[in-house]
Amino acid sequence: MEETPKGSRLHIAIFGRRNAGKSSLINALTSQDIALVSNVPGTTTDPVYKAMEILPIGPVMIIDTAGIDDVGDLGALRVERTMQVLNKTDLAVIVIEPEDGVTNFEAQLIKEIRKRNVPIAGVINKSDLMAVAPDKVAVWSEALDLPLLTISAKTGQGIEELKRTMIKLAPDDWEGPQLIGDLVSPGDTVVLVVPIDLAAPKGRLILPQVQTIRDLLDNDVCAVVVKERELKEALENLKNPPRLVVTDSQEFMKVGADTPPGVMLTSFSILLARHKGDLETLVAGAKAIENLQPGDKVLISEGCTHHRQADDIGKVKIPRWLRQAVGGELDFEWVSGGTFPADLEKFKLIVHCGACMLNRREMLYRLAMAREAGIPIVNYGLLIAQIHGILYRALAPFPLAQMILEE
Amino acid sequence: MEETPKGSRLHIAIFGRRNAGKSSLINALTSQDIALVSNVPGTTTDPVYKAMEILPIGPVMIIDTAGIDDVGDLGALRVERTMQVLNKTDLAVIVIEPEDGVTNFEAQLIKEIRKRNVPIAGVINKSDLMAVAPDKVAVWSEALDLPLLTISAKTGQGIEELKRTMIKLAPDDWEGPQLIGDLVSPGDTVVLVVPIDLAAPKGRLILPQVQTIRDLLDNDVCAVVVKERELKEALENLKNPPRLVVTDSQEFMKVGADTPPGVMLTSFSILLARHKGDLETLVAGAKAIENLQPGDKVLISEGCTHHRQADDIGKVKIPRWLRQAVGGELDFEWVSGGTFPADLEKFKLIVHCGACMLNRREMLYRLAMAREAGIPIVNYGLLIAQIHGILYRALAPFPLAQMILEE
């Protein structure tokens, strides 16, 4: 059920000379061992497209550019093949081998990539084997007019920082996973449970609800929109059960009781967490709540200068729920609007708002900062679901995320 | 089915001394003969609340203030009764008898009404019996600090101008009929057919669709939202037929074919025309299309400086449809943004846009101007429905409007 249409995957091409460690870097980024790793140059022989997940970036298409990484200058044929790859590339990563350093190959490659306006992240790999002196890094960086990160694909050093750079460089029109369209098939019926409370302005629906209805229509699905009170009746009025029921988090208990066990149930928060951020990273953050101890420091981060209502959730309800879960006091800090505090390492958990005012890239950037600091991060919706013991059922459409919660 | 909740009716209190012609004015405003008319002062003895329709104002509650119109000053008891009426009044109309002119009664009454911040329209009635000299009108008007219209409830002189003044004075929060809520009962299912075309921005629904869904939820109704392609399947999947199917006008033919004859069908345009303007006035305008002759002048009025798309409808499609309907050339004029041209009388028909950028009061004001000039007025949606021969069926929830079309 978790197929992602090609269009919503960020296409990342990994460039570099033979043995610069392209395949190892792919493994480090994706925490998978799909690419064949060997220390014989040129093990991979053709550009290979691999649909993978990078946390917290989400579904990506990695393009492994073996076969155009021969030693020496770019010949006409290799330029052509590079161009074919670049036609499909949203973001290029250039991997530099520390012993050989920057050569004509990298310089020409960057020239070709820049012709296409494709953003570039530059890394010097193998920091575990060879430490390149900072002044040498500066010289190379200036020669290429490109910031260079020092990383080790083998030890993982700098990998999270590289991910953060990649998020920063991702194109503006990159959207990530659909809200719901990839979870349904044409002709399906999906029930949306929309409580009408003080949150929704008169005569309006909140944006995620509208986006979900529209995404369903775009995917030839019938959307049944109903309040929690009328849900039971609405389900009984359908001859064929719906493919999915999506509810506002605050009504999950009641909706869970009214939805037959055979019908998959999820929440708008979870759909949004996946669409706007990275579901797996946030689920790992939800799981980390169980490790909190009394006295731990918790950061509550609100995306915007907030309305009274967001205020109430972040300032009152979430602290209360977390205290109850931990069975003792916690040391809360709040931050809003801008970025995270510099000393992020002191926190045991970051709780982020639903990010309704942030775009996907901004939210992913924050997730990447948290990962870099090694701090679990969860958002309001997933925290609420986890605290109330309903997150597991609500992740039914997302087996990978369910696995993270079970671990 | 056309019950209007009390809250959405404009409450209009008619004040004036005995025999000033309050009941006759009510008849003239509503074109009905419900009030008992007599030339003996004080035929009516108590304030009477009458749910009525005023074209183009829509559903109103007329408060006939007999019993507090005794000759002479307002006594304590009458002040109290006036206050009770004013507590429920959105708009006061003061009727002055031309022979007696302005007395202490009117002056005190206006003072009391103004204490409550209720807007006032002032009229001098019986212009058919007695012409009050303009300088005398000016003196009275100045004494009361109130503009005074000269009217005749008997001949209808000035009545349309009075309606226009009343619309202008109506309170800001006056909303008029619900979009759809008064057409349904709790537990109903309503199917909304929403074509996804170039008009709807990516990831969004257009506002009337959102407002309709929200209004249904507010009224404990289940909204089934579907594209025209999936409608048949969606209807077959319901155990109980829907109370109503609402479609975008452009898909009316297809939707009409897929909707069983027993199920009422209407369009978003018609719901909006009623919510935003006055359905009966606009239906009368649609009917007037059949009287157009080749060479007639037609005014096309667009509410705002327009998008290419609105442009296309107003500038190309509607002229073409009207030419086809008339079987010859027509003389079109276009106006946008502001108000109508001064020489409105030269037109045989006014075609107004859907008024998505206007509020109800602005739209009603334009309808009132058209009525005053005696020119039929129709909006885009109703014109399209009429030209395509589907208006009658689409008015199924509105028998009064259907009658106008049949006349």
Side-chain angles (χ1 to χ4, degrees), chain A residues 352-364:
Chain A
H352 201 286
C353 70
C356 62
M357 298 308 291
L358 301 177
N359 67 26
R360 177 171 166 82
R361 198 163 46 173
E362 289 168 313
M363 185 63 190
L364 289 179

Side-chain angles (χ1 to χ4, degrees), chain A residues 217 220 223 225 227 236 239, chain B residues 217 220 223 225 227 236 239:
Chain A
L217 293 173
D220 308 330
V225 189
K227 287 210 304 292
E236 281 163 7
K239 288 182 192 160
Chain B
L217 293 174
D220 309 330
V225 189
K227 288 210 304 291
E236 281 163 6
K239 288 182 193 160

Side-chain angles (χ1 to χ4, degrees), chain A residues 175 186-189 194 196-197 200-205 207 210-227 229-230 233-241, chain B residues 175 186-189 194 196-197 200-205 207 210-227 229-230 233-241:
Chain A
E175 289 196 329
D188 279 350
T189 299
V194 173
I196 297 301
D197 58 17
K202 205 167 165 236
R204 298 289 187 277
L205 300 172
L207 190 56
V210 172
Q211 289 173 311
T212 306
I213 297 170
R214 172 61 190 262
D215 201 14
L216 290 172
L217 293 173
D218 284 340
N219 286 279
D220 308 330
V221 171
C222 172
V224 174
V225 189
V226 74
K227 287 210 304 292
R229 276 219 324 256
E230 285 77 43
E233 225 173 322
L235 287 170
E236 281 163 7
N237 196 28
L238 294 175
K239 288 182 192 160
N240 303 308
Chain B
E175 289 194 329
D188 279 350
T189 299
V194 172
I196 297 302
D197 58 16
K202 205 166 165 238
R204 298 289 187 276
L205 300 172
L207 189 56
V210 172
Q211 289 172 310
T212 306
I213 297 170
R214 172 61 191 262
D215 201 14
L216 291 172
L217 293 174
D218 284 340
N219 286 279
D220 309 330
V221 170
C222 172
V224 174
V225 189
V226 74
K227 288 210 304 291
R229 276 219 323 257
E230 284 77 43
E233 224 173 323
L235 286 170
E236 281 163 6
N237 196 29
L238 294 174
K239 288 182 193 160
N240 302 309

Side-chain angles (χ1 to χ4, degrees), chain A residues 160-200:
Chain A
E160 294 299 333
E161 196 182 346
L162 169 59
K163 288 180 187 174
R164 188 155 57 85
T165 305
M166 289 163 68
I167 290 168
K168 212 177 191 167
L169 292 172
D172 287 337
D173 59 0
W174 168 51
E175 289 196 329
Q178 283 177 276
L179 200 47
I180 192 170
D182 55 323
L183 305 176
V184 292
S185 310
D188 279 350
T189 299
V190 169
V191 176
L192 307 179
V193 185
V194 173
I196 297 301
D197 58 17
L198 300 168

Side-chain angles (χ1 to χ4, degrees), chain A residues 12 67 83 108-109 113 120 129 228 317 321 330 399 404:
Chain A
I12 303 168
M83 284 307 151
Q108 285 186 45
L109 189 63
I113 297 173
I120 308 172
L129 296 181
E228 66 284 1
K317 287 186 183 166
W321 286 325
L330 289 162
I404 291 174

